[in-house]
Structure formats: C-alpha cells, structure tokens
Amino acid sequence: MTEPRTKPARAAVDTNGASGGGGGRRKAAPASDYTAASIQVLEGLEAVRRRPGMYIGSTDVRGLHHLVWEVVDNSIDEAMAGHARTIRVTIAKDGTVEVIDDGRGVPVGKHATGKDALEVVHTVLHAGGKFGGGGYKVSGGLHGVGVSVVNALSEWLRVESARDGSIWAQEYKRGKPTGPVTKIGPQGDRRGTRTLFRADPEMFETTDYSFETVSQRLRESAYLTKGVWITFIDEREDRERSFYFEGGLQSFVRHLNRNKEALHSRPIYVERREGETMVEVALQYNDTYTENVLAFANNINTVDGGTHVTGFRAALTSSLNDWARKAGVLKQSDGNLSGDDVREGLTAVISVKLTDPQFEGQTKAKLGNAEVKGQVQTAVTDSLMQYLEENPGDGRRIIDKCLTASRAREAARKARDLVIRKGALDGLSLPGKLADCQERDPARSELFIVEGDSAGGSAKQGRDRRYQAILPLRGKVLNVEKARLDKIVASENVRPLIIALGAGIEGIDDSFDLAKLRYHRIIIMTDADVDGAHIRTLLLTLFYRHMPQVIEAGYLYIAQPPLYRVSTGKVTKYAQSEKERDRIIKDFNVKNVSVQRFKGLGEMNADQLWETTMNPDTRVLMRAEIDDAGEADAIFTKLMGEKVEPRRDFIKAEARKVRNLDI
C-alpha cells in the first residue's frame, strides 16, 4: 500500500456554501465560434501526448511505471510464445530504461503502408503482430498501442532488432523518427529486441522509478511464465535481482503464504486446456481470516477480476460443499457453506491464457470473455474434487476451517442485526461519539477519525461543521489481522466506525455497499509519534481487509499534522520534520525565534489544528492506494499477523532507514 503525497484537497463546500471547484457559472461561447475549423485531427501519436491518461491511466508514478510494463510485456509475449528464454531490464543512473530479450526481434522490411515494419510498430497506434494470430497465439498486448504509446511519451527512444542476419535500429524523439531504419551491423550470435527509452519529464509528474515496484512486477512475471530468466539491474542504487521459477504458480502461492501457517503442505494445482484456453490455478489455505486471490489473463494482472474469477469462485464453493457432504463432514440437514466461508484463509493465483481476450480498457483491469467462466469452472471443479478424494485429510482440515468461518460469520451477522435493532429502538442510528456534519451529500462530506478525547475536542472546535464530521476513538483499536469477523463487529472501537461510515463491512451477506458510504473523504488524523503510527496502521489494516472498496475508490486519506511551530512573534510557520524546521529558522534570519514541539494533536489548540491539518486551503493529505495487492497482503501479514519472526526480521532490515524516531 502506498500513500502518495497529494496536493491540498479542496473542500466540498466553499465559504458561501456553494459547490467547491466550480468558480462560478461559465459563459457559453457563441455558436458562430464553433465551425468546421474547430474540428482538430491529431496526426500520428499526437493524440497520446494530448491525452496520455486515456492510454496509460495517469501521468503520476503509476503511469510512469506503465511505460516499463508495456515494453516488458512485449518480451514476455515472446517468452509465452516459446521464442525467448531471457529478459534483462536495466534502469541507468540518468533514468534511461533498457529492456533486452532473446526473442525473434521486431520484424523489419517494407510494410503495406510504405514504411518499414519496425517504424510502423513504434509510430502507429493499433499496429502489431497480435491481431491476426499469425505472430502470437497468446498475448497480453492485444490493443497494439503499447510500445507506440511508450514512444510517444518518451523524450527519446531507440530500438534495435537482431534478425534476418543483421541488427537494425531506429531512433525517435517524442514519438517521431529522427531518421530511417538502418542496418548497424551483422547479427552474429545476437537475437531479439533491445529497447531504450527515457520518459519525457514534460509529460510526467515524476520520472523516478521505484526499485521495489519494478522488482515486484518482474518477479510476478517470472512466476507466471515458467522457465523464463528475468534479470533486473538498477544502476542508480547498484542493486540487482534475478528471477527464475520452475514451479510457476505453485511457487507463487508459496511465496504469498511465506509468513502464514499453511493448512496443507503443498498447494493444490490445476493445469488444463479447455478448448482454446489454458487454465492454470494454484491454491492453498492458511490460518488467517482473509482472502488473497490474484488473477491474470495472458499474464496481465486483472485487478478487477472478471469471468475467470467468477468461474473459480463458483467451482470452489460447489466442489467443497459437494465433497463435504459426500465425506459426511456436512450432513444433509446442514446448510451449504457460503462463498465467504470457503474463501476465508484462501490464497490463490488464477491464470488463463487465451487467443482473443476481451479486456475493459487499455489498462486491462477486468476480463470479459463469457466462455472463460465455464472453462475455468470445469477445470477447477474436476481437479479440486480429484485432489480432495486423494487427500481426505487435507480436505477435512479445509472444511473444518470453513465451518469455523461460517459460525463466526453467523455470530457477526447476529451482532450486526442487534446493533441495527438497538439503534432503531433507541432512535439512534449513529454512534454517540460522532460529531456529524450538516451536509448530507457524501461527495461534499469529510470524516476525521482521531485518537482520544483531547484531540477529538480540538478537532470538533476547529472544524467547519457544515461539511466536516469528527469521530474520536478511545482506547486501543482492534487488530483485525488477528480477529474473526464476529470479534470485529463486537469491538467497541471498530463498531462505531462501521456505523458512522454507513456502508457495512465486507464478509457478512455481501453487506458492504459503497453507495451507502456517508463520506467520500475519510481522513485518518493521528499523532505524529510511534503510538499515532501504530493506530494509523491498525486503521489501514481494517480498511484494507474489510473495506477495500473505500481505498480503491480513492476515499481514504491520511492527515499530515506538523511536528513543529516556528514563530518570530509576527510570523508563524509549521514544519513536519526537523529538516523543514531548520530551513524555516534559517529563512527567518532573526535571533528571537521560538520553536514549539507538538507531542500530539491534543497539544494544538483548535485554531492551530484547523490552520495546519484541517483547512482544505492549507493542509496536505496523503491518499492511501493499493499498487500491488499481493505485496500489500504480505506487508499487512508481516506487520500485523500472528508470526513474530517476520515482523522482527522486517524491523531489523528497516531500522537503519529510520530518522527522527519519536519515543
């Protein structure tokens, strides 16, 4: 989970009570101004530079990394087709990215357009060898816009193709060729494609790649493509990692479960061709209370799921219920286990490879092929039933866990219903601690979650009650990583938050409903010390495990209260670090400077808290985001799970990076 720094978020209501961000009614242009001359035709790759978000999602750090994925995916496609065995990715000190593979090389020679095929691939949208089936039977880059988009959004790009006895090259500047495709030498022993590019700083908010983000993605690709050797070199930090996995998805699941206690020693593995689709699944149960399922289509991580996930879930639920009744673990009079019951503590990776995948949008977040649901369901049902028949001990352990989950979910359901009934009887539907706002439109409303009555008091006095609500938390927040659903719903600290948000909690009759969320800006506001960081982590764990839709929708934020108040008596500024404090003192350039160190939010008066942390015009918020579901799952398990050793190892490894530790 990352928390990128954002610009100060504007309030949903301005000082006059009107919607913020509008700036008044816009005057309509005369009809005579809209003529044939107003219609623009963007030539070549100009459309990409004009609207980059349509092609890579955004121009922030996520979009920056998308450039790397597009080039690497072309090399992975070569590996999936059986033509490449090694891929090397290098980030140079100046930020240049180099991707080399030993595949077939990009075709060269005159194309029907009159240009060289190499140039067409890199300068024309929707051009590539992945449409007709002649070049690739299975591919992730089916839109044909990948490398051409990278070219358009790069300050410069160079491609070299080793094939047909020679090495061919062409260079581009912001998507336009600087010269023709040229032969630069004999092929010799070299084969494949070499691509170098530098992201255009005019197009991106940052051009600083994350070593861990790239490394994680390449590891993932190696798991999904058995037998390919991927090397990653970061010359900026002098770091190198290599990935090679013969075990494929089974190794992937073991990696995801490395800090958890598995219920059965080896993952259950499915590999089967259904029609034109190759279905591969690995799954393993552990002793936790959460589900971690990753899904891929042609090696593309479909984070929003799709038909392959639907088929897998249907197969898992029906197979476990059928086997449990056949084995006598479930009696005929017992109700069926629900989908939530059978997925508690499940880690699974689903991978399908098909010739004509239908993705939603260029970012390929969801698979839509209707036939894949039945193909995955058939393959998983047959293989899972066979495994359970051959390993009844594992089957009983899995069903016992599912039954325990079912009982806990029923207890949570009763606790939730009791809260609802009690609220109706008392005439109260919101917790007493909540100081609600006057605004009823969720898009215009904010909720600050604060620790303790002292900070809650300052926040209530300092807020703008028209659109800012305050919920103080008293006592220790429950660690939901170690708690079943019934304990979570019964918690004196978690339950008021669930009620205040109004959307429910995931895992009880699919009761979480984002449309019912009462606030579209939920801000965790804790002290800037160790205790505050702990509470913040506990709350992030709650949202990630049981309300992930809030994070995915971009509604969860973290406040950035200052650590220092620096004043000359006439001028006052605030600092969030010692470095910033020292810079402010130096800038004041006066002798009499007073410095106040805030130990907590409760030490700030209402005006100070408003000015520094709550005022939309001056505050800075960090938005919580999930960049990589598998890595986020591993981090929360490591930091908040039952096992002490992974947490201790993490602290030892990261301790050297800590600065300004407030104990």
Side-chain angles (χ1 to χ4, degrees):
M1 174 174 290
T2 61
E3 300 162 355
R5 199 176 182 85
T6 66
K7 297 177 181 178
R10 291 282 171 185
V13 180
D14 67 16
T15 53
N16 296 317
S19 295
R25 186 180 296 273
R26 206 170 186 178
K27 193 173 181 180
S32 58
D33 289 351
Y34 186 56
T35 66
S38 304
I39 307 300
Q40 289 183 309
V41 177
L42 302 179
E43 298 292 338
L45 299 177
E46 186 59 32
V48 181
R49 294 184 63 83
R50 191 74 66 88
R51 296 286 187 271
M54 292 177 60
Y55 299 90
I56 59 170
S58 65
T59 55
D60 57 11
V61 68
R62 183 177 299 179
L64 176 72
H65 286 86
H66 197 89
L67 301 186
V68 182
W69 312 155
E70 290 288 3
V71 180
V72 169
D73 284 349
N74 285 341
S75 296
I76 291 294
D77 288 342
E78 282 289 285
M80 284 196 295
H83 301 293
R85 301 293 292 176
T86 63
I87 300 170
R88 189 178 77 189
V89 180
T90 304
I91 300 178
K93 290 182 179 180
D94 65 353
T96 298
V97 176
E98 178 188 60
V99 180
I100 301 175
D101 66 55
D102 60 351
R104 292 170 291 183
V106 180
V108 293
K110 191 171 183 178
H111 186 260
T113 59
K115 299 178 180 179
D116 192 283
L118 185 73
E119 181 176 328
V120 171
V121 167
H122 288 82
T123 60
V124 179
L125 293 176
H126 308 293
K130 305 173 184 181
F131 296 106
Y136 297 88
K137 287 187 176 180
V138 171
S139 166
L142 290 173
H143 290 74
V145 300
V147 73
S148 56
V149 166
V150 177
N151 193 13
L153 299 177
S154 294
E155 184 179 0
W156 61 265
L157 181 145
R158 176 182 174 85
V159 59
E160 297 176 4
S161 178
R163 59 175 291 145
D164 303 336
S166 302
I167 300 175
W168 312 82
Q170 189 173 32
E171 294 187 2
Y172 312 86
K173 186 174 182 180
R174 294 187 169 91
K176 297 179 180 179
T178 59
V181 175
T182 57
K183 185 189 299 185
I184 61 173
Q187 181 176 356
D189 294 333
R190 183 173 159 185
R191 58 179 303 212
T193 305
R194 177 180 182 236
T195 303
L196 300 97
F197 69 91
R198 185 185 297 162
D200 191 347
E202 293 180 4
M203 302 303 302
F204 292 93
E205 298 171 19
T206 177
T207 56
D208 185 19
Y209 298 95
S210 163
F211 177 85
E212 290 301 332
T213 299
V214 176
S215 181
Q216 177 66 22
R217 173 65 179 251
L218 296 180
R219 177 190 289 112
E220 205 171 77
S221 297
Y223 279 129
L224 293 162
T225 313
K226 287 186 290 187
V228 64
W229 187 282
I230 302 179
T231 301
F232 175 39
I233 301 168
D234 190 341
E235 295 178 349
R236 302 168 305 169
E237 305 177 25
D238 194 24
R239 302 175 71 182
E240 180 176 338
R241 286 184 182 172
S242 294
F243 308 105
Y244 178 86
F245 303 106
E246 284 287 352
L249 296 198
Q250 296 178 78
S251 299
F252 199 170
V253 167
R254 287 193 179 99
H255 172 74
L256 295 172
N257 271 345
R258 64 193 181 280
N259 295 323
K260 304 168 185 176
E261 290 289 342
L263 296 190
H264 43 105
S265 59
R266 61 189 178 92
I268 301 170
Y269 182 62
V270 179
E271 185 177 27
R272 183 164 164 177
R273 180 173 293 279
E274 290 286 337
E276 292 296 313
T277 302
M278 175 60 72
V279 178
E280 192 178 4
V281 176
L283 64 101
Q284 187 179 42
Y285 281 87
N286 57 65
D287 63 346
T288 69
Y289 309 123
T290 56
E291 168 194 3
N292 184 23
V293 175
L294 303 181
F296 301 84
N298 290 4
N299 281 29
I300 302 298
N301 187 356
T302 47
V303 294
D304 292 336
T307 51
H308 51 335
V309 176
T310 304
F312 168 75
R313 288 182 167 180
L316 185 71
T317 304
S318 62
S319 298
L320 289 179
N321 275 295
D322 290 347
W323 184 85
R325 293 195 185 282
K326 186 177 179 181
V329 184
L330 270 182
K331 297 181 175 60
Q332 293 302 319
S333 58
D334 295 334
N336 274 344
L337 296 166
S338 71
D340 287 326
D341 297 334
V342 302
R343 294 195 300 271
E344 184 175 292
L346 171 70
T347 296
V349 180
I350 307 161
S351 176
V352 294
K353 293 174 181 174
L354 57 164
T355 55
D356 188 23
Q358 299 165 13
F359 292 110
E360 291 188 2
Q362 167 61 11
T363 52
K364 307 163 190 169
K366 189 173 184 179
L367 184 68
N369 296 66
E371 73 279 4
V372 173
K373 176 182 180 295
Q375 293 169 337
V376 172
Q377 187 169 351
T378 298
V380 173
T381 297
D382 292 349
S383 299
L384 185 54
M385 290 298 287
Q386 180 179 343
Y387 179 89
L388 295 171
E389 292 288 349
E390 296 173 355
N391 301 272
D394 289 351
R396 288 183 178 275
R397 280 190 291 274
I398 292 170
I399 297 300
D400 285 345
K401 179 170 180 59
C402 297
L403 288 170
T404 303
S406 178
R407 289 190 288 268
R409 193 160 280 102
E410 180 60 31
R413 189 179 295 112
K414 290 178 180 178
R416 178 202 62 187
D417 293 344
L418 179 62
V419 169
I420 294 172
R421 287 197 302 273
K422 185 177 185 298
L425 290 172
D426 293 348
L428 299 171
S429 58
L430 295 174
K433 297 178 183 179
L434 175 69
D436 206 5
C437 58
Q438 297 166 354
E439 179 62 59
R440 289 295 174 261
D441 182 353
R444 300 168 177 247
S445 304
E446 301 180 345
L447 175 66
F448 286 85
I449 306 170
V450 300
E451 54 172 314
D453 291 335
S454 177
S458 294
K460 288 177 183 178
Q461 293 176 42
R463 68 174 173 144
D464 187 328
R465 66 180 60 245
R466 292 175 302 167
Y467 61 89
Q468 291 181 328
I470 309 296
L471 180 64
L473 300 179
R474 192 179 305 155
K476 184 180 178 181
V477 178
L478 179 71
N479 181 2
V480 300
E481 192 73 16
K482 300 180 181 180
R484 287 192 180 278
L485 200 56
D486 54 330
K487 301 294 184 185
I488 295 170
V489 175
S491 167
E492 291 299 324
N493 247 326
V494 177
R495 188 174 67 249
L497 177 57
I498 296 171
I499 297 171
L501 294 176
I505 185 170
E506 197 171 74
I508 308 176
D509 301 331
D510 297 322
S511 62
F512 187 88
D513 185 354
L514 191 66
K516 294 181 179 179
L517 193 67
R518 301 182 64 247
Y519 313 92
H520 285 182
R521 186 169 284 123
I522 302 162
I523 303 166
I524 299 173
M525 187 165 69
T526 59
D527 292 345
D529 59 9
V530 173
D531 289 338
H534 186 219
I535 293 170
R536 186 164 60 245
T537 304
L538 289 165
L539 288 169
L540 287 171
T541 307
L542 170 65
F543 279 101
Y544 176 70
R545 291 302 191 193
H546 296 283
M547 305 178 199
Q549 298 93 329
V550 172
I551 303 174
E552 292 162 3
Y555 295 158
L556 185 63
Y557 295 82
I558 299 168
Q560 299 294 288
L563 282 173
Y564 298 97
R565 177 180 181 270
V566 185
S567 178
T568 64
K570 294 183 179 180
V571 181
T572 299
K573 292 187 177 181
Y574 296 89
Q576 292 181 334
S577 66
E578 289 184 4
K579 184 177 181 180
E580 190 177 3
R581 176 203 62 189
D582 294 342
R583 181 185 58 77
I584 292 172
I585 294 173
K586 184 178 180 181
D587 290 345
F588 277 154
N589 197 26
V590 293
K591 292 182 179 180
N592 297 321
V593 177
S594 66
V595 179
Q596 179 185 1
R597 171 70 159 85
F598 295 116
K599 281 291 184 181
L601 298 176
E603 290 189 8
M604 303 173 70
N605 61 41
D607 290 341
Q608 289 174 332
L609 189 57
W610 165 257
E611 180 183 352
T612 63
T613 316
M614 300 178 70
N615 182 354
D617 292 326
T618 56
R619 71 190 180 191
V620 173
L621 299 176
M622 290 197 300
R623 184 167 61 199
E625 295 182 347
I626 303 172
D627 280 341
D628 186 282
E631 191 63 18
D633 177 82
I635 289 172
F636 281 114
T637 300
K638 186 183 296 181
L639 295 181
M640 311 304 293
E642 295 283 358
K643 282 190 173 184
V644 176
E645 293 80 5
R647 187 157 47 250
R648 184 178 61 224
D649 293 342
F650 175 83
I651 292 171
K652 286 180 178 178
E654 301 297 321
R656 60 187 175 83
K657 302 177 184 177
V658 174
R659 298 290 184 272
N660 306 323
L661 180 63
D662 185 351
I663 303 176

